[in-house]
Amino acid sequence: MRIPSRAQFGKRARDEVVSFALANRIAHAELDEFTFAVGEALANAIEHSGTGDVIEVHCRIESDKIVATITDSGCGFNPQTGRPFPEVLSERGRGLPIMERCTDIFAVRSAPGKGTAVVLGRYLQRKNS
């Protein structure tokens, strides 16, 4: 799916991911943390991409996992500089660490001026047969 880079479309994208998973017989209980991570990735893309271009959300289900890739064509960043946790009382800067902790599969591909892709995955308790 492709959504405009505006906050009001984040919920629609999360709802579409959940609908896709449920249509493929993945239990709702298995999606909570995964959907939360997808929401964080969308929020980051909307807020930090620095562009009005669309955000792409691709979701797939394999035999033992669900994987979503959230891609923007924005300003990008250097992921090699690390992701230190913010100060304890800080209200910002927790998105990437939260995504990592809410998923079993986590990767960030980004480069300054070339956009960002975040890959999030969760292993499933039951096979979707």
Side-chain angles (χ1 to χ4, degrees):
M1 91 173 359
R2 295 164 53 96
I3 64 165
S5 184
R6 294 196 302 270
Q8 64 263 34
F9 292 95
K11 180 181 182 329
R12 184 179 130 220
R14 284 190 314 275
D15 290 348
E16 288 290 327
V17 168
V18 170
S19 292
F20 172 75
L22 293 175
N24 283 278
R25 293 180 281 219
I26 295 175
H28 204 285
E30 292 194 79
L31 298 173
D32 290 340
E33 290 183 351
F34 177 75
T35 306
F36 187 72
V38 168
E40 285 292 317
L42 287 164
N44 275 7
I46 291 166
E47 183 174 352
H48 300 296
S49 70
T51 181
D53 292 347
V54 298
I55 296 167
E56 294 187 19
V57 181
H58 176 75
C59 192
R60 71 183 188 278
I61 297 171
E62 298 176 7
S63 64
D64 64 342
K65 63 186 165 262
I66 183 169
V67 179
T69 303
I70 295 84
T71 306
D72 69 64
S73 60
C75 61
F77 66 99
N78 183 352
Q80 303 305 320
T81 60
R83 299 182 307 274
F85 239 149
E87 294 296 321
V88 173
L89 298 177
S90 175
E91 294 184 23
R92 302 193 46 81
R94 299 183 188 288
L96 291 173
I98 286 172
M99 286 179 244
E100 187 170 18
R101 283 165 180 76
C102 288
T103 57
D104 301 314
I105 301 162
F106 175 77
V108 177
R109 294 185 307 264
S110 189
K114 301 199 186 240
T116 301
V118 176
V119 179
L120 307 166
R122 189 88 175 163
Y123 289 105
L124 303 170
Q125 298 296 321
R126 295 173 290 282
K127 291 190 179 207
N128 54 335
S129 52

